[in-house]
Amino acid sequence: MLDTNDIGKVFDPITASVEKGQLNRFAKAIGENSLIYIDDATAKNSGYDDLPIPPTFLFCLKMDVPEPFGNYEKLGISLKKLLHANQSFEYFNAAVVGDVLTFNSVVEDIYAKKGGALEFLIENTKVVNQRDEHIADLVTTLVIRN
Amino acid sequence: MVTFDDINVGDYLPVLSTEKISRTTLALYAGASGDYNPIHIDIDFAKSAGMDDVFAHGMLSMAYLGRLLTNWVDQRSIKKVDVRFTAITPLFSQIICTGVVQKKQIVDEQKIIEVLVEAKDSNSGEVKISGTATINLTENRSSLA
């Protein structure tokens, strides 16, 4: 069972560099073949400083740590019961290859439904770059099926 | 790329069809995304969790929705994407992404479009992901990319 005392818990910040090889592998994995996401020159001609990260890739950078589920497991969540319920991204500035992004996450809410058969955890994440520019806000809702 | 003036409520975005999701697709996505949750790549783990087999990462289909949007508008115009994962995507599914314009309005002199986006199974039509994307087309980037 999750503990509502963990509402407000602040996770350790995660810092991740945006690397070209990583973006190329991601583009291949999702079938992305628009040149703007794979060719530096096209990206630069389109006004980016370098290859841009695609819309959902921030979620991946946030997992760029040795134990990406460690924060959840420490709260008592088993990967066997975990599903992703909702995800939102709100964007403020572009992020490109060479940027170093910091993810600051906090447990926004924990609640149960169906008498505890389903538990929900909402995590809010603010992403900033190396110049402390606000890149995006992520809201992740996880559901635990007990 | 489309401009604000070109768009009307009820317009459909060009549909995005994707390849059938294989075990390789999931292995590639796990490696590229850093999401190594074994439920998506290890059949033994999936069975121990009560599933018949591994199933696709929800974020893979959300990445397809991202492609749907960036095929239509410049990514810098996308201000928000908010989705709900409504069903698990089994192995060997093929995902079709669709979008329809729900709102077109000028708010504080900003040209805002709201699109309903969905990722569906191409055979059953079952909706896997449903949500909205908010797009700001005030800056005309149609000359770019």
Side-chain angles (χ1 to χ4, degrees):
Chain A
M1 291 289 285
L2 292 177
D3 184 346
T4 52
N5 286 324
D6 285 323
I7 296 171
K9 187 179 176 68
V10 176
F11 293 134
D12 289 340
I14 290 166
T15 298
S17 305
V18 183
E19 292 162 13
K20 184 180 175 181
Q22 202 183 27
L23 286 190
N24 286 342
R25 285 193 296 279
F26 186 76
K28 184 174 164 60
I30 68 166
E32 177 61 80
N33 49 23
S34 300
L35 285 177
I36 199 164
Y37 295 107
I38 46 186
D39 179 64
D40 312 20
T42 304
K44 286 174 183 168
N45 286 337
S46 304
Y48 287 104
D49 292 335
D50 208 316
L51 283 184
I53 70 169
T56 64
F57 193 70
L58 288 168
F59 189 88
C60 308
L61 288 167
K62 181 172 170 285
M63 302 188 81
D64 191 14
V65 289
E67 296 292 340
F69 299 102
N71 285 334
Y72 304 146
E73 287 168 327
K74 277 183 211 156
L75 297 180
I77 296 174
S78 159
L79 291 184
K80 289 184 183 178
K81 298 178 176 177
L82 177 66
L83 287 176
H84 201 166
N86 294 74
Q87 182 63 46
S88 78
F89 295 87
E90 188 170 5
Y91 303 100
F92 302 99
N93 284 290
V96 299
V97 164
D99 282 346
V100 179
L101 305 183
T102 301
F103 296 73
N104 290 292
S105 299
V106 59
V107 177
E108 172 70 15
D109 202 5
I110 290 173
Y111 56 92
K113 284 186 182 174
K114 298 186 180 172
L118 296 176
E119 291 180 291
F120 293 84
L121 181 143
I122 300 180
E123 177 186 19
N124 288 355
T125 302
K126 180 180 181 181
V127 188
V128 298
N129 69 9
Q130 65 279 13
R131 294 180 293 273
D132 209 30
E133 292 162 340
H134 193 184
I135 300 300
D137 287 335
L138 280 60
V139 182
T140 302
T141 306
L142 302 175
V143 57
I144 298 100
R145 300 176 302 166
N146 290 314
Chain B
M1 295 280 166
V2 292
T3 64
F4 187 76
D5 293 338
D6 295 335
I7 297 170
N8 294 300
V9 170
D11 284 356
Y12 286 89
L13 277 60
V15 171
L16 179 83
S17 291
T18 61
E19 306 252 319
K20 202 156 130 180
I21 295 172
S22 66
R23 293 181 199 278
T24 301
T25 314
L26 299 185
L28 286 176
Y29 185 79
S33 70
D35 186 343
Y36 294 103
N37 185 340
I39 203 104
H40 303 300
I41 47 179
D42 181 340
I43 188 171
D44 303 318
F45 184 90
K47 284 183 171 168
S48 75
M51 308 301 297
D52 293 332
D53 203 336
V54 295
F55 58 94
H57 306 73
M59 289 304 292
L60 171 62
S61 294
M62 193 174 182
Y64 294 151
L65 284 178
R67 285 177 54 204
L68 171 84
L69 292 168
T70 58
N71 282 346
W72 191 58
V73 293
D74 186 289
Q75 186 179 332
R76 287 161 289 193
S77 307
I78 302 172
K79 295 304 158 191
K80 189 169 185 182
V81 185
D82 187 358
V83 305
R84 195 156 70 92
F85 300 95
T86 51
I88 282 175
T89 299
L91 204 58
F92 312 125
S93 302
Q94 189 191 10
I95 295 296
I96 301 271
C97 296
T98 60
V100 59
V101 177
Q102 281 190 309
K103 285 185 191 165
K104 172 182 178 175
Q105 53 194 355
I106 296 180
V107 183
D108 297 335
E109 299 179 14
Q110 302 296 300
K111 298 175 175 176
I112 306 293
I113 298 286
E114 195 175 289
V115 179
L116 171 70
V117 292
E118 285 183 333
K120 297 173 211 169
D121 183 280
S122 68
N123 281 323
S124 66
E126 184 183 39
V127 176
K128 304 295 188 184
I129 304 183
S130 164
T132 55
T134 308
I135 296 162
N136 185 337
L137 291 172
T138 309
E139 274 183 73
N140 183 358
R141 295 187 186 272
S142 59
S143 60
L144 299 174

